[in-house]
Amino acid sequence: MTFARHDPINDAETLPRMPSWVTSARVEGLEDVAFLSGAALSHLDLMLGRADVPHALVRDRLALRAAEACVRVEGRPERVAELRDAVHLLRPDDLPGPAGETCLAWRHAVARPISIQALHRALAGVEAEKIAGWLDGCDPRGAGTGAPVTRAATVLEAVLAEAPRAEVTGLILAEAALAQTLGWTHLGPLLAAGLKRTDLRKRGDDLRLACHRAVTASALEAVRLAADLARRAAHLKAVAPKLRAKGAGEAVEMFLSCDAVAPTALPLPDRAARRLCDRLVKLGVVRELTGRDTSRLYGV
């Protein structure tokens, strides 16, 4: 008996798509919206369970989107390009600024498995005991139980009731509650990108309704993102054996886990790092993200 050769690129091309009835349904009631968000989360969970999805990269890009949404809520002008610069072009003695701090908080939040200690590192200005109190107090039966979106909305409401201007803290902890209840080891930000400033002022069923809608829309985008990055990652992995530069393997792993990479961050001499990035762009497996001639950033 013979078996077909495993082809990661073809596998990535056959990733499942979100059912059309989830994306096309128009419902208003809390029960119906909750049903759709559950279906969307179930499909996303199935997608994220695939080994060919670059999970760290998906999380990092979702974190960037969440950070941009939070910066917009705060009324700040920075968008994706400026956030990337604030994080990846930061020098050792530089301060990231408010927008950069928001982006770093989200990146730190998704980088490690969920724990009180990891969340405290991401939210350096918030005491670990306070974080535990918000998460445990909103779920007396213990972390990971109850309806995912309902628990996330409850955590968000509790944080904002006590600290109305702590949107980033509330959203990161709500995402942690959502991920825990889904049985995920890491945050996969969904709520932040789908909630508007006016939604964050809502309470009770109105907030839960907004959270269900946000999760449904964001899960759809996350499925598309995961499918796209799985295809791109498969192409990068296919050319990786052809790269002979010392440190190229480590560089490829960085591209497979980070939204953006500066050549100076790669484990190669500066000139060799720039040459590697240029070659990967020519091979069509990495993109230059800034459009600049200097201070460039690259990503899958």
Side-chain angles (χ1 to χ4, degrees):
M1 180 180 294
T2 59
F3 295 89
R5 185 175 64 87
H6 175 67
D7 187 340
I9 296 179
N10 287 335
D11 287 351
E13 298 292 342
T14 61
L15 288 165
R17 296 182 179 180
M18 186 80 74
S20 60
W21 58 266
V22 175
T23 61
S24 62
R26 296 292 181 268
V27 296
E28 295 297 331
L30 180 58
E31 183 177 347
D32 292 333
V33 173
F35 176 77
L36 289 183
S37 73
L41 284 171
S42 178
H43 190 78
L44 176 59
D45 186 67
L46 178 66
M47 170 71 80
L48 296 179
R50 294 181 59 112
D52 48 357
V53 171
H55 298 92
L57 178 55
V58 171
R59 291 195 302 269
D60 202 35
R61 196 148 290 176
L62 289 176
L64 179 66
R65 292 183 178 183
E68 182 187 33
C70 287
V71 168
R72 186 181 289 112
V73 165
E74 295 169 351
R76 300 192 61 84
E78 293 90 348
R79 295 298 178 260
V80 164
E82 291 81 11
L83 292 174
R84 280 176 172 148
D85 284 354
V87 170
H88 297 288
L89 301 181
L90 191 68
R91 295 176 181 175
D93 295 329
D94 289 346
L95 297 175
E101 288 179 355
T102 295
C103 192
L104 286 171
W106 279 103
R107 294 192 75 221
H108 292 328
V110 305
R112 297 180 177 88
I114 300 169
S115 69
I116 299 300
Q117 291 74 21
L119 292 170
H120 177 54
R121 283 193 291 268
L123 301 168
V126 185
E127 296 178 357
E129 293 77 9
K130 180 69 72 175
I131 292 172
W134 275 322
L135 290 176
D136 296 340
C138 294
D139 188 3
R141 295 167 296 173
T145 62
V149 178
T150 297
R151 182 167 179 249
T154 302
V155 170
L156 178 59
E157 183 172 356
V159 174
L160 294 181
E162 187 172 340
R165 304 182 74 174
E167 291 94 348
V168 174
T169 297
L171 286 166
I172 286 179
L173 295 185
E175 301 281 12
L178 179 68
Q180 281 183 324
T181 315
L182 289 168
W184 295 352
T185 59
H186 293 71
L187 270 76
L190 299 174
L191 285 164
L195 289 172
K196 302 175 183 177
R197 182 185 301 181
T198 53
D199 292 329
L200 297 176
R201 302 192 188 106
K202 296 175 180 178
R203 298 293 181 265
D205 285 349
D206 289 339
L207 179 59
R208 283 191 283 276
L209 185 65
C211 287
H212 280 296
R213 286 175 172 159
V215 164
T216 302
S218 294
L220 171 61
E221 291 302 317
V223 167
R224 291 172 178 167
L225 175 66
D228 179 56
L229 292 180
R231 287 188 289 269
R232 293 177 181 275
H235 285 287
L236 177 55
K237 290 176 181 177
V239 305
K242 304 174 185 177
L243 304 174
R244 301 191 180 279
K246 186 176 181 181
E250 294 179 56
V252 167
E253 289 303 315
M254 290 181 66
F255 283 115
L256 290 174
S257 59
C258 297
D259 162 71
V261 177
T264 54
L266 295 175
L268 292 88
D270 287 348
R271 185 175 297 179
R274 290 194 296 271
R275 284 201 303 266
L276 176 63
C277 290
D278 288 342
R279 186 181 180 198
L280 292 174
V281 170
K282 289 180 181 179
L283 290 171
V285 294
V286 163
R287 297 172 293 164
E288 202 287 311
L289 301 173
T290 69
R292 297 186 297 244
D293 292 330
T294 60
S295 300
R296 290 180 163 185
L297 297 173
Y298 298 84
V300 172

